[in-house]
Amino acid sequence: MNNQEKVWKLLEDLNIVVIYNDKLQRQALSAVVEDSTGGSNRIIIINQTLVPLENMPYFLAHEAAHLILNHTHNSIKNEAEANRWAIKFLACDIDHIRSYVEFMQLNGIPNRLVDTVKDVITPLVLSRDLNVVE
């Protein structure tokens, strides 16, 4: 299962609905919306004109992270937590990845997050390499 499929499975398992809206003034957002019965629905809204298909794994994982981590407002801390969570989720299977750049390209991770990618992936790669040596 590739990361695109893993992200969609996560969304399905958590009953998170994805809505595409090209009028959204930003790339994506996540929200918990109350319905008429008093229940709530977790949704992610994506502007497909601003988020190319190849960037979907990261953007969907990032917005899912906001919902999973119960973020209720926008802050630098919440964005950093969602970035780390999404990158870690996407890094579950990195055995075939040869570089940070390749990992970022395969998952649509913005270049501005290269330091976060290195912080998250380096320990995973090192622990994998140590296990191979043993």
Side-chain angles (χ1 to χ4, degrees), residues 3 54-58 90 102-109:
N3 277 347
E54 61 270 12
N55 293 7
M56 282 296 172
Y58 168 76
L90 295 169
E102 179 185 11
F103 172 76
M104 293 174 72
Q105 289 172 341
L106 286 172
N107 292 292
I109 299 170

Side-chain angles (χ1 to χ4, degrees), residues 27-56:
Q27 293 173 313
L29 67 84
S30 54
V32 178
V33 180
E34 290 188 25
D35 63 25
S36 59
T37 65
S40 61
N41 297 302
R42 299 188 296 178
I43 64 167
I44 294 173
I45 303 173
I46 298 279
N47 183 333
Q48 285 181 288
T49 60
L50 299 177
V51 180
L53 183 61
E54 61 270 12
N55 293 7
M56 282 296 172

Side-chain angles (χ1 to χ4, degrees), residues 11-12 17 20 24 26 30 46 52 78 107-108 117 119 131 133:
L11 298 173
E12 182 182 328
V17 175
Y20 298 100
L24 185 65
R26 52 200 275 193
S30 54
I46 298 279
N78 287 352
N107 292 292
V117 168
D119 288 347
N131 290 334
V133 172

Side-chain angles (χ1 to χ4, degrees), residues 86-101:
I87 291 165
K88 195 167 191 174
F89 176 80
L90 295 169
C92 290
D93 178 22
I94 56 170
D95 290 341
H96 61 286
I97 302 296
R98 293 174 299 215
S99 71
Y100 298 116
V101 173

